[in-house]
Amino acid sequence: MQYDTDAIIVGGGFAGMTTARELTQRGIRATVVEARGRLGGRTWTRDTTLGRELDMGGTWVHWIQPHVWAEITRYGLGLIASPELDTAYWRSGGEVHTGTADTMLDLLDASMTEVLAEARRALPQPYDYFPLSDQIKALDQVSVAEKIAALDLEPQQRALLDGMWALNFSGDPARSGYTQALRWCALSGGDWKLMFEACATYKFASGTRSLLDAIAADATADIRLNTTVTSIDETDDGVTVTCGDGTQVRGKRVVVTAPLNILNSIDITPSLGHGVNGVAAEGQASGGVKVWVRVKGDVGKFAALADSDAVLNFAQYEYPLDGDSLIVAFGPRSGLIDLNDPRAVETELRKWRPDLEVVTVDAHDWTADPLSGETWPMLAPNQLDAVAHAARDTTRRIRLAGSDYARGWAGFIDGAIESGLHTARQIITEFESEN
Ligand SMILES: Cc1cc2nc3c(=O)[nH]c(=O)nc-3n(C[C@H](O)[C@H](O)[C@H](O)COP(=O)(O)OP(=O)(O)OC[C@H]3O[C@@H](n4cnc5c(N)ncnc54)[C@H](O)[C@@H]3O)c2cc1C
């Protein structure tokens, strides 16, 4: 085969750009083919109708996430903290309860600790669980909802616990794989409050784009935006990637970073093994929404939580802006609310606080977006084995990379970087031994 490049990378999110940087810095030619008109994938720092730049997708990072933290150090990027919240509102049984943020976390503490009690025992080395032991296989059959149902809880505790896991999975706890919850907690040293802090406390001072731009600037790859890969053919001597515009790129390897829920939109020959196409068809667990809301006046630094039946089940104060307040809210199911309708969002927020007056809203529906089909990737029960297996298959010229396939912080920017690093390292080693 006549190669146009050494490695073709499908997708220019964090996984794709990390792979591109690592390969090109070692003198390996890389071509990134990205369907969108921008890099960043499920991270997107952009101007909004709210009156400032905001992150539509991935936002928070933490020093217990080693891969993203190393990048923050490498590029000298600054972080800012989300505000410390003083008041909390939570709904259960049709009633709104209020107290300090600590009161709400204390109410969650015992049940959350019980749900996650097995984390460190089950995953003593949370990056190292493959091949799955019989114990992990058994745990992977269980959903978070089943685990919650088995606990003896007061209604308020149950609603809070269910709501917190719907938030964590950006989806329905009934479809949320228990091993994924255990992995988050094991990675946080078994401390669920630290796990929660890692998910929603520290963010990039200049937006998530600042890190993506830094990585991209160090990648000397050929980058083709607005180009959708439609099919990939693997032969004994190479791979041919065909794009929607009819162009073809031939290389020695192809790294596919398309999110799992849309993996089947690319026609791959021979088809991928290990049951990963079946998992993609079934869909992983996340399918929620994130929406930014400008609310009139200073409404105080509050958090709000409700169970997984709520359209929006979590909200958190984030910024002051010209006398108004900016709030970020999440819901576990896309399609239930028009994220661009201020009145619809106001109706949901008023279920906690009838005093809130929404000025404007802005969001990107990642679940409805055909180039993502999900928010942050979280596996459903019985999916871990197939996904972990496919992610580690180095017998093919086609490699799967991305946050969906990460060993550790899957679902996070950290996981996308980790997966990009692993994939690039493997390809570098193979090319070194081939030359
Ligand atoms: C609403 C939301 C909130 C989040 N919050 C956080 C957070 O606070 N902290 C955190 O760490 N993480 C968060 N995440 C998760 C994090 O953003 C992702 O895990 C990470 O960015 C995924 O990177 P990736 O490179 O694996 O995939 P992606 O970013 O999805 O990149 C894949 C790329 O492939 C492209 N693509 C797809 N199909 C094709 C095709 N056929 N041809 C060419 N290109 C294609 C896509 O356009 C995309 O650019 C959040 C995600 C969302 C959606």
Side-chain angles (χ1 to χ4, degrees):
M1 180 181 283
Q2 193 83 26
Y3 302 117
D4 303 309
T5 186
D6 295 321
I8 304 155
I9 298 164
V10 182
F14 268 98
M17 294 317 297
T18 302
T19 310
R21 180 192 65 190
E22 296 300 299
L23 293 179
T24 57
Q25 289 207 343
R26 298 296 290 254
I28 294 169
R29 292 175 303 162
T31 298
V32 177
V33 186
E34 167 55 57
R36 300 180 197 274
R38 61 171 181 85
L39 297 176
R42 276 171 283 172
T43 63
W44 190 14
T45 315
R46 67 156 166 81
D47 279 331
T48 63
T49 56
L50 273 66
R52 62 162 290 158
E53 263 198 353
L54 291 166
D55 271 301
M56 295 294 114
T59 304
W60 291 280
V61 292
H62 200 276
W63 49 88
I64 62 168
Q65 298 171 335
H67 305 91
V68 73
W69 196 254
E71 301 294 339
I72 291 166
T73 306
R74 180 201 296 236
Y75 295 114
L77 300 176
L79 298 185
I80 51 172
S82 288
E84 270 197 36
L85 306 172
D86 42 39
T87 314
Y89 301 83
W90 61 97
R91 307 204 304 259
S92 130
E95 263 184 77
V96 180
H97 306 269
T98 185
T100 64
D102 282 342
T103 315
M104 187 171 83
L105 291 184
D106 288 347
L107 253 177
L108 263 168
D109 191 30
S111 57
M112 197 57 115
T113 303
E114 201 174 341
V115 164
L116 295 168
E118 301 171 81
R120 294 210 65 188
R121 265 197 313 279
L123 294 162
Q125 296 182 67
Y127 287 87
D128 191 7
Y129 48 83
F130 190 81
L132 304 192
S133 64
D134 288 344
Q135 183 201 12
I136 298 291
K137 278 184 191 158
L139 290 170
D140 198 46
Q141 291 172 16
V142 178
S143 72
V144 171
E146 286 170 311
K147 220 50 208 179
I148 296 173
L151 300 181
D152 183 19
L153 298 175
E154 298 293 323
Q156 271 190 62
Q157 287 177 309
R158 190 172 295 282
L160 283 174
L161 192 60
D162 170 71
M164 191 57 106
W165 282 108
L167 171 66
N168 289 342
F169 274 78
S170 186
D172 183 351
R175 285 210 70 234
S176 301
Y178 182 46
T179 50
Q180 309 300 288
L182 292 176
R183 183 163 53 167
W184 275 28
C185 189
L187 288 160
S188 310
D191 178 345
W192 81 266
K193 285 189 179 170
L194 178 60
M195 176 186 98
F196 184 51
E197 179 182 294
C199 294
T201 312
Y202 299 100
K203 54 197 174 185
F204 293 94
S206 304
T208 306
R209 191 179 57 207
S210 55
L211 177 57
L212 195 275
D213 286 350
I215 294 173
D218 275 351
T220 54
D222 165 27
I223 297 174
R224 303 187 187 177
L225 297 177
N226 297 306
T227 311
T228 305
V229 170
T230 51
S231 66
I232 300 172
D233 289 287
E234 179 184 2
T235 54
D236 284 346
D237 59 345
V239 280
T240 303
V241 166
T242 304
C243 305
D245 60 8
T247 54
Q248 290 193 322
V249 193
R250 291 166 199 81
K252 298 176 189 162
R253 300 286 186 282
V254 59
V255 179
V256 179
T257 72
L260 188 51
N261 277 14
I262 61 145
L263 181 63
N264 290 346
S265 65
I266 303 174
D267 186 13
I268 297 177
T269 316
S271 67
L272 295 165
H274 314 300
V276 74
N277 293 110
V279 173
E282 179 185 59
Q284 52 78 63
S286 85
V289 293
K290 171 183 181 179
V291 55
W292 284 98
V293 194
R294 182 169 178 156
V295 178
K296 201 162 182 192
D298 177 1
V299 297
K301 298 183 174 64
F302 75 97
L305 187 58
D307 70 21
S308 60
D309 288 335
V311 172
L312 294 179
N313 87 315
F314 183 77
Q316 163 169 310
Y317 174 94
E318 279 294 316
Y319 300 99
L321 187 76
D322 301 336
D324 287 343
S325 307
L326 300 194
I327 289 167
V328 63
F330 295 86
R333 282 174 209 85
S334 161
L336 296 184
I337 185 171
D338 179 354
L339 297 174
N340 295 307
D341 178 356
R343 298 288 72 82
V345 173
E346 184 178 79
T347 300
E348 292 308 312
L349 294 181
R350 285 186 173 180
K351 289 178 181 168
W352 289 291
R353 289 191 51 174
D355 60 316
L356 296 183
E357 210 176 307
V358 171
V359 180
T360 182
V361 288
D362 206 334
H364 180 78
D365 190 341
W366 299 96
T367 303
D369 180 339
L371 294 174
S372 43
E374 56 181 58
T375 56
W376 53 94
M378 300 297 295
L379 297 180
N382 298 309
Q383 294 185 339
L384 182 61
D385 192 41
V387 171
H389 212 146
R392 286 162 180 75
D393 186 353
T394 56
T395 62
R396 301 277 303 263
R397 290 178 181 274
I398 299 176
R399 304 293 155 82
L400 295 177
S403 186
D404 294 68
Y405 305 100
R407 294 165 193 210
W409 287 99
F412 292 80
I413 296 165
D414 187 89
I417 295 170
E418 177 226 297
S419 172
L421 290 173
H422 266 296
T423 306
R425 164 52 44 200
Q426 176 69 29
I427 291 173
I428 290 165
T429 306
E430 289 166 9
F431 283 179
E432 279 171 357
S433 72
E434 282 168 19
N435 289 332

PDB file of all heavy atoms in Angstrom, residues 413-430:
ATOM      1  N   ILE A 413     -12.077  14.045  31.146  1.00  0.00           N
ATOM      2  CA  ILE A 413     -10.995  14.517  30.281  1.00  0.00           C
ATOM      3  C   ILE A 413      -9.741  13.703  30.591  1.00  0.00           C
ATOM      4  O   ILE A 413      -8.990  13.317  29.695  1.00  0.00           O
ATOM      5  CB  ILE A 413     -10.751  16.027  30.538  1.00  0.00           C
ATOM      6  CG1 ILE A 413     -11.987  16.837  30.132  1.00  0.00           C
ATOM      7  CG2 ILE A 413      -9.512  16.504  29.779  1.00  0.00           C
ATOM      8  CD1 ILE A 413     -12.004  18.267  30.664  1.00  0.00           C
ATOM      9  N   ASP A 414      -9.527  13.426  31.860  1.00  0.00           N
ATOM     10  CA  ASP A 414      -8.375  12.623  32.271  1.00  0.00           C
ATOM     11  C   ASP A 414      -8.326  11.290  31.521  1.00  0.00           C
ATOM     12  O   ASP A 414      -7.277  10.870  31.043  1.00  0.00           O
ATOM     13  CB  ASP A 414      -8.439  12.360  33.783  1.00  0.00           C
ATOM     14  CG  ASP A 414      -7.183  11.673  34.273  1.00  0.00           C
ATOM     15  OD1 ASP A 414      -6.230  12.377  34.633  1.00  0.00           O
ATOM     16  OD2 ASP A 414      -7.152  10.425  34.262  1.00  0.00           O
ATOM     17  N   GLY A 415      -9.474  10.645  31.419  1.00  0.00           N
ATOM     18  CA  GLY A 415      -9.524   9.342  30.751  1.00  0.00           C
ATOM     19  C   GLY A 415      -9.214   9.449  29.270  1.00  0.00           C
ATOM     20  O   GLY A 415      -8.562   8.567  28.691  1.00  0.00           O
ATOM     21  N   ALA A 416      -9.672  10.543  28.651  1.00  0.00           N
ATOM     22  CA  ALA A 416      -9.379  10.734  27.220  1.00  0.00           C
ATOM     23  C   ALA A 416      -7.871  10.878  27.020  1.00  0.00           C
ATOM     24  O   ALA A 416      -7.294  10.292  26.097  1.00  0.00           O
ATOM     25  CB  ALA A 416     -10.119  11.965  26.703  1.00  0.00           C
ATOM     26  N   ILE A 417      -7.222  11.639  27.898  1.00  0.00           N
ATOM     27  CA  ILE A 417      -5.772  11.840  27.780  1.00  0.00           C
ATOM     28  C   ILE A 417      -5.044  10.525  28.066  1.00  0.00           C
ATOM     29  O   ILE A 417      -4.128  10.132  27.323  1.00  0.00           O
ATOM     30  CB  ILE A 417      -5.310  12.962  28.746  1.00  0.00           C
ATOM     31  CG1 ILE A 417      -5.936  14.292  28.315  1.00  0.00           C
ATOM     32  CG2 ILE A 417      -3.787  13.047  28.783  1.00  0.00           C
ATOM     33  CD1 ILE A 417      -5.768  15.417  29.312  1.00  0.00           C
ATOM     34  N   GLU A 418      -5.476   9.837  29.118  1.00  0.00           N
ATOM     35  CA  GLU A 418      -4.849   8.541  29.462  1.00  0.00           C
ATOM     36  C   GLU A 418      -4.903   7.586  28.267  1.00  0.00           C
ATOM     37  O   GLU A 418      -3.901   6.960  27.889  1.00  0.00           O
ATOM     38  CB  GLU A 418      -5.597   7.925  30.658  1.00  0.00           C
ATOM     39  CG  GLU A 418      -5.096   6.555  31.069  1.00  0.00           C
ATOM     40  CD  GLU A 418      -6.220   5.554  31.310  1.00  0.00           C
ATOM     41  OE1 GLU A 418      -7.029   5.779  32.232  1.00  0.00           O
ATOM     42  OE2 GLU A 418      -6.286   4.555  30.585  1.00  0.00           O
ATOM     43  N   SER A 419      -6.074   7.504  27.654  1.00  0.00           N
ATOM     44  CA  SER A 419      -6.257   6.582  26.543  1.00  0.00           C
ATOM     45  C   SER A 419      -5.404   6.995  25.339  1.00  0.00           C
ATOM     46  O   SER A 419      -4.814   6.149  24.661  1.00  0.00           O
ATOM     47  CB  SER A 419      -7.745   6.540  26.182  1.00  0.00           C
ATOM     48  OG  SER A 419      -7.944   5.808  25.024  1.00  0.00           O
ATOM     49  N   GLY A 420      -5.323   8.304  25.095  1.00  0.00           N
ATOM     50  CA  GLY A 420      -4.478   8.801  24.000  1.00  0.00           C
ATOM     51  C   GLY A 420      -3.013   8.462  24.239  1.00  0.00           C
ATOM     52  O   GLY A 420      -2.289   8.060  23.320  1.00  0.00           O
ATOM     53  N   LEU A 421      -2.581   8.596  25.491  1.00  0.00           N
ATOM     54  CA  LEU A 421      -1.181   8.290  25.825  1.00  0.00           C
ATOM     55  C   LEU A 421      -0.877   6.802  25.623  1.00  0.00           C
ATOM     56  O   LEU A 421       0.136   6.437  25.022  1.00  0.00           O
ATOM     57  CB  LEU A 421      -0.881   8.676  27.286  1.00  0.00           C
ATOM     58  CG  LEU A 421      -0.844  10.178  27.614  1.00  0.00           C
ATOM     59  CD1 LEU A 421      -0.699  10.390  29.115  1.00  0.00           C
ATOM     60  CD2 LEU A 421       0.289  10.877  26.871  1.00  0.00           C
ATOM     61  N   HIS A 422      -1.772   5.945  26.112  1.00  0.00           N
ATOM     62  CA  HIS A 422      -1.588   4.494  25.959  1.00  0.00           C
ATOM     63  C   HIS A 422      -1.516   4.098  24.494  1.00  0.00           C
ATOM     64  O   HIS A 422      -0.655   3.319  24.084  1.00  0.00           O
ATOM     65  CB  HIS A 422      -2.791   3.748  26.553  1.00  0.00           C
ATOM     66  CG  HIS A 422      -2.605   3.330  27.967  1.00  0.00           C
ATOM     67  ND1 HIS A 422      -1.647   2.433  28.353  1.00  0.00           N
ATOM     68  CD2 HIS A 422      -3.262   3.666  29.092  1.00  0.00           C
ATOM     69  CE1 HIS A 422      -1.710   2.260  29.654  1.00  0.00           C
ATOM     70  NE2 HIS A 422      -2.685   2.993  30.135  1.00  0.00           N
ATOM     71  N   THR A 423      -2.462   4.634  23.718  1.00  0.00           N
ATOM     72  CA  THR A 423      -2.560   4.240  22.308  1.00  0.00           C
ATOM     73  C   THR A 423      -1.315   4.689  21.545  1.00  0.00           C
ATOM     74  O   THR A 423      -0.745   3.929  20.752  1.00  0.00           O
ATOM     75  CB  THR A 423      -3.841   4.851  21.700  1.00  0.00           C
ATOM     76  OG1 THR A 423      -4.934   4.470  22.527  1.00  0.00           O
ATOM     77  CG2 THR A 423      -4.080   4.365  20.291  1.00  0.00           C
ATOM     78  N   ALA A 424      -0.904   5.925  21.798  1.00  0.00           N
ATOM     79  CA  ALA A 424       0.283   6.436  21.098  1.00  0.00           C
ATOM     80  C   ALA A 424       1.518   5.635  21.500  1.00  0.00           C
ATOM     81  O   ALA A 424       2.330   5.250  20.650  1.00  0.00           O
ATOM     82  CB  ALA A 424       0.473   7.916  21.431  1.00  0.00           C
ATOM     83  N   ARG A 425       1.654   5.348  22.789  1.00  0.00           N
ATOM     84  CA  ARG A 425       2.830   4.590  23.262  1.00  0.00           C
ATOM     85  C   ARG A 425       2.911   3.238  22.564  1.00  0.00           C
ATOM     86  O   ARG A 425       3.949   2.807  22.090  1.00  0.00           O
ATOM     87  CB  ARG A 425       2.722   4.441  24.791  1.00  0.00           C
ATOM     88  CG  ARG A 425       3.599   3.410  25.466  1.00  0.00           C
ATOM     89  CD  ARG A 425       5.072   3.476  25.146  1.00  0.00           C
ATOM     90  NE  ARG A 425       5.637   4.821  25.149  1.00  0.00           N
ATOM     91  CZ  ARG A 425       6.773   5.142  24.531  1.00  0.00           C
ATOM     92  NH1 ARG A 425       7.465   4.229  23.860  1.00  0.00           N
ATOM     93  NH2 ARG A 425       7.220   6.371  24.581  1.00  0.00           N
ATOM     94  N   GLN A 426       1.759   2.576  22.450  1.00  0.00           N
ATOM     95  CA  GLN A 426       1.721   1.263  21.805  1.00  0.00           C
ATOM     96  C   GLN A 426       2.155   1.367  20.340  1.00  0.00           C
ATOM     97  O   GLN A 426       2.964   0.574  19.847  1.00  0.00           O
ATOM     98  CB  GLN A 426       0.288   0.709  21.926  1.00  0.00           C
ATOM     99  CG  GLN A 426       0.050  -0.601  21.224  1.00  0.00           C
ATOM    100  CD  GLN A 426       0.769  -1.767  21.882  1.00  0.00           C
ATOM    101  OE1 GLN A 426       1.006  -1.747  23.096  1.00  0.00           O
ATOM    102  NE2 GLN A 426       1.135  -2.764  21.081  1.00  0.00           N
ATOM    103  N   ILE A 427       1.629   2.367  19.646  1.00  0.00           N
ATOM    104  CA  ILE A 427       1.945   2.514  18.213  1.00  0.00           C
ATOM    105  C   ILE A 427       3.432   2.876  18.044  1.00  0.00           C
ATOM    106  O   ILE A 427       4.118   2.350  17.157  1.00  0.00           O
ATOM    107  CB  ILE A 427       1.018   3.582  17.565  1.00  0.00           C
ATOM    108  CG1 ILE A 427      -0.420   3.042  17.524  1.00  0.00           C
ATOM    109  CG2 ILE A 427       1.488   3.960  16.165  1.00  0.00           C
ATOM    110  CD1 ILE A 427      -1.463   4.045  17.057  1.00  0.00           C
ATOM    111  N   ILE A 428       3.945   3.735  18.907  1.00  0.00           N
ATOM    112  CA  ILE A 428       5.375   4.107  18.833  1.00  0.00           C
ATOM    113  C   ILE A 428       6.231   2.846  18.992  1.00  0.00           C
ATOM    114  O   ILE A 428       7.164   2.598  18.220  1.00  0.00           O
ATOM    115  CB  ILE A 428       5.721   5.150  19.925  1.00  0.00           C
ATOM    116  CG1 ILE A 428       5.066   6.489  19.597  1.00  0.00           C
ATOM    117  CG2 ILE A 428       7.245   5.311  20.070  1.00  0.00           C
ATOM    118  CD1 ILE A 428       5.039   7.480  20.763  1.00  0.00           C
ATOM    119  N   THR A 429       5.883   2.026  19.970  1.00  0.00           N
ATOM    120  CA  THR A 429       6.654   0.796  20.217  1.00  0.00           C
ATOM    121  C   THR A 429       6.591  -0.128  18.995  1.00  0.00           C
ATOM    122  O   THR A 429       7.598  -0.700  18.578  1.00  0.00           O
ATOM    123  CB  THR A 429       6.085   0.070  21.463  1.00  0.00           C
ATOM    124  OG1 THR A 429       6.065   0.998  22.523  1.00  0.00           O
ATOM    125  CG2 THR A 429       6.935  -1.125  21.858  1.00  0.00           C
ATOM    126  N   GLU A 430       5.401  -0.247  18.410  1.00  0.00           N
ATOM    127  CA  GLU A 430       5.263  -1.120  17.234  1.00  0.00           C
ATOM    128  C   GLU A 430       6.086  -0.597  16.061  1.00  0.00           C
ATOM    129  O   GLU A 430       6.783  -1.364  15.395  1.00  0.00           O
ATOM    130  CB  GLU A 430       3.786  -1.204  16.832  1.00  0.00           C
ATOM    131  CG  GLU A 430       2.947  -2.007  17.808  1.00  0.00           C
ATOM    132  CD  GLU A 430       1.447  -1.819  17.606  1.00  0.00           C
ATOM    133  OE1 GLU A 430       1.037  -1.192  16.598  1.00  0.00           O
ATOM    134  OE2 GLU A 430       0.693  -2.276  18.462  1.00  0.00           O
TER     135      GLU A 430
END
